[in-house]
Amino acid sequence: MMKRILGSVALLGLLMTGSVTLQAHHSLAGVYDMKNPKEMSGTVASIKFTNPHGSLSIAVKNADGTSTEWVMTLGSATALAQRGVGKTGPNALHTGDNISIKFLPAKDGSPLGFLQTVTMPDGRVISIAAPNAQE
């Protein structure tokens, strides 16, 4: 009888853990316009390597001379490290770097996006998104 109770409690724990994971995952297509990739250039304002998603803030000059800070969603710190992107090394981004980016913009028009590629100051193009997250 005790084995059944312990087995039931363990199964219930696994089911509850799985449901939390499923609720936390979301689709890119729900937030970003997958059919309308954009490009822009600006200056790195900040970059955060966190889980479940990192972020890159980029200051972009508007036509009227003002600046808008765009926030780009990145993959996890682990996924970025697998692509050679991190706090150090040849693919590191630093505050003040002038870069160009390709991204999927937010559907609601806010200054948010899902980052796909970065063109570094030296001209190298770094793929940020996993291949299945590309257009």
Side-chain angles (χ1 to χ4, degrees), residues 15-104:
L15 290 173
M16 289 175 62
T17 302
S19 67
V20 169
T21 301
L22 289 175
Q23 288 175 354
H25 188 78
H26 53 272
S27 168
L28 291 176
V31 178
Y32 304 106
D33 186 348
M34 304 297 285
K35 297 184 187 291
N36 191 22
K38 301 275 186 193
E39 294 182 36
M40 68 172 56
S41 297
T43 304
V44 174
S46 69
I47 187 160
K48 297 177 184 167
F49 294 100
T50 57
N51 287 314
H53 300 284
S55 65
L56 169 74
S57 294
I58 179 171
V60 178
K61 295 250 186 218
N62 300 318
D64 65 2
T66 62
S67 183
T68 300
E69 190 164 305
W70 284 73
V71 178
M72 298 292 140
T73 299
L74 309 174
S76 68
T78 303
L80 291 167
Q82 291 171 341
R83 288 178 179 67
V85 178
K87 294 179 181 179
T88 61
N91 295 340
L93 291 168
H94 305 286
T95 302
D97 284 349
N98 292 314
I99 60 172
S100 295
I101 62 172
K102 290 184 181 177
F103 66 100
L104 299 171

Side-chain angles (χ1 to χ4, degrees), residues 115-135:
L115 190 61
Q116 293 181 309
T117 64
V118 173
T119 302
M120 302 292 281
D122 64 7
R124 289 177 299 117
V125 177
I126 309 299
S127 179
I128 301 295
N132 62 352
Q134 301 288 336
E135 52 179 312

